[in-house]
Amino acid sequence: MTDAGDAKEAVLGRIRAALAGAPSEVAVPRAYQRASGAERERLVHDFVERASDYRAAVHRLSESELRERVAAVCRDHSAARLAVPPDLPEAWLPEGVTGVRDHALTHLELANLDGVLTGCALAVAQTGTVVLDGGAHQGRRALTLLPDLHLCVVFERQIVGTVPEAVAALEGAARRPLTLISGPSATSDIELSRVEGVHGPRNLVLLLVRSAP
């Protein structure tokens, strides 16, 4: 029996043979919109509108209100124990909510918690998407895929206009797994009937923190 390594090399060998003589580089047209040029308030408006279209719950607040709003969301969802990245700021966690730091929690332990609280790398106004790259206050990918409730803190200054702007901003994280989240996890694969919670949380709450004037 051929092992996986041999099979991979066989497939790659056939691809290389098929591409022999082909140009090494192909010019890709870049005539599409790459930057929005919109003012900050317009970016925030578009992000809120499109994230809401995807059924994310969006709360706009000041940074001083963050802890209180986390507490309110947890009460609404009967959530008392949240998974959090090891470096999540203590100031984001309210009294009465236990933050369980992810020091190699098992998948079962993650799934049994009431939710997860993280930050993000950036957000995209064009698509209402938040992007996590495993950087500060985000934790590893499994952290935001297994609990059924995801509270994600987004600062207005983290919103970019378009997907190309997001890709450029994430260049330094190119070798880390990226998680792009547009609303709660959902699929309509079967007879176009929407089912939520298939590949991740059924409930996505975005805590959008206003930028200081």
Side-chain angles (χ1 to χ4, degrees), residues 26-37:
V26 177
V28 177
R30 303 288 185 186
Y32 51 82
Q33 183 187 19
R34 305 188 70 179
S36 72

Side-chain angles (χ1 to χ4, degrees), residues 14-23:
R14 291 174 189 169
I15 293 173
R16 292 189 193 100
L19 293 176

